[in-house]
Amino acid sequence: MPAVLPPLPTPPDSQPELLQVGLPEDEPCLRADAARNRARLLEAAGRLVAEHGAAGVTMEAVAAAAAVGKGTVFRRFGDRTGLLTALLDHSERKFQAAFLSGPAPLGPGAPPSDRLRAFGRAMLRRSVEEMDLMLASEPSPDRRFTPAPRQVHHSHVALLLRQAVPEEDCELLAQTLMGYLDPAAVHHLTRRRGMPIERLERGWDDLVARLTCTDSPR
């Protein structure tokens, strides 16, 4: 699967570019039969996730469900991680569009502290809704912080921090905040510790308020 290049460092007064999880926007360049195969494979993989969870998605199972050869699945997605990543692609594009250009407070037009709160809450909710798929498509530890979407999220948080607290080390603070939103951490707290998502949201609001010296909503 072609690698997605990481975004360039984001200037303080600009937004990061919209990036996708997996393959570049190459659909118009695909042959018609290749595009149809890709759509069939993703549809089959989506059915398997809905019926059996992400653990039920194997290259062999997807090939059988889509009635194609296993080699077709490997050629199109590279490996299981690439396939699961492609499933997340549509959701990621919608999420990025929402925080880069959607309505406030998640999108532009609200104070940076309000946008930080909205971003974290949206990330937490998305992690809970797509938990199995997110965990199954996690990259290996040596590549955990390099996927393009994760860098876009980090750049966005750093940008809002630079607007809210320009005197602080916003790159490091952004990394710390992203740790709070990590899907594995959300999984541990919600599924293993039994914490309701509302508690995590209140904790996020309080963390943002402490960092930006603003009042936390109650």
Side-chain angles (χ1 to χ4, degrees), residues 40-91:
R40 286 170 57 195
L41 292 170
L42 290 176
E43 181 182 354
R47 290 198 306 269
L48 289 172
V49 171
E51 295 169 2
H52 307 292
V57 179
T58 65
M59 305 298 267
E60 294 80 3
V62 171
V68 300
K70 184 172 67 173
T72 300
V73 188
F74 279 97
R75 283 193 299 273
R76 192 65 191 91
F77 300 105
D79 55 19
R80 182 172 181 271
T81 297
L83 173 61
L84 295 175
T85 295
L87 277 176
L88 278 174
D89 183 65
H90 179 64
S91 171

Side-chain angles (χ1 to χ4, degrees), residues 7-217:
L8 296 173
T10 305
D13 58 350
S14 66
Q15 291 280 11
E17 292 184 3
L18 182 71
L19 292 177
Q20 68 273 11
V21 177
L23 293 171
E25 191 69 45
D26 60 356
E27 291 305 315
C29 300
L30 289 176
R31 298 192 320 273
D33 58 341
R36 284 194 296 270
N37 276 342
R38 184 175 191 273
R40 286 170 57 195
L41 292 170
L42 290 176
E43 181 182 354
R47 290 198 306 269
L48 289 172
V49 171
E51 295 169 2
H52 307 292
V57 179
T58 65
M59 305 298 267
E60 294 80 3
V62 171
V68 300
K70 184 172 67 173
T72 300
V73 188
F74 279 97
R75 283 193 299 273
R76 192 65 191 91
F77 300 105
D79 55 19
R80 182 172 181 271
T81 297
L83 173 61
L84 295 175
T85 295
L87 277 176
L88 278 174
D89 183 65
H90 179 64
S91 171
E92 174 63 25
R93 294 188 199 185
K94 288 173 59 180
F95 179 57
Q96 289 184 22
F99 70 72
L100 291 176
S101 58
L106 183 56
S113 57
D114 290 350
R115 294 191 68 193
L116 274 172
R117 292 189 187 99
F119 177 83
R121 283 174 168 262
M123 280 280 288
L124 289 168
R125 290 284 176 177
R126 183 176 175 226
S127 291
V128 169
E129 293 169 1
E130 302 178 3
M131 180 63 68
D132 290 343
L133 193 55
M134 284 188 173
L135 293 180
S137 61
E138 276 282 290
S140 59
D142 61 315
R143 297 189 296 117
R144 188 173 187 186
F145 299 102
T146 59
R150 191 163 299 197
Q151 294 194 42
V152 171
H153 300 166
H154 176 275
S155 295
H156 180 67
V157 170
L159 168 66
L160 295 177
L161 285 169
R162 283 194 293 269
Q163 295 172 350
V165 284
E167 69 279 3
E168 301 293 343
D169 185 343
C170 295
E171 287 296 318
L172 190 56
L173 282 179
Q175 192 67 57
T176 301
L177 287 177
M178 289 302 299
Y180 188 102
L181 304 174
D182 184 79
V186 177
H187 173 269
H188 171 72
L189 293 173
T190 58
R191 296 196 182 179
R192 296 186 180 275
R193 297 289 304 279
M195 291 186 186
I197 187 62
E198 293 80 10
R199 182 176 175 185
L200 272 66
E201 291 176 328
R202 289 194 299 271
W204 172 261
D205 288 344
D206 184 61
L207 181 57
V208 171
R210 290 171 185 269
L211 287 175
T212 60
C213 299
T214 57
D215 293 331
S216 178

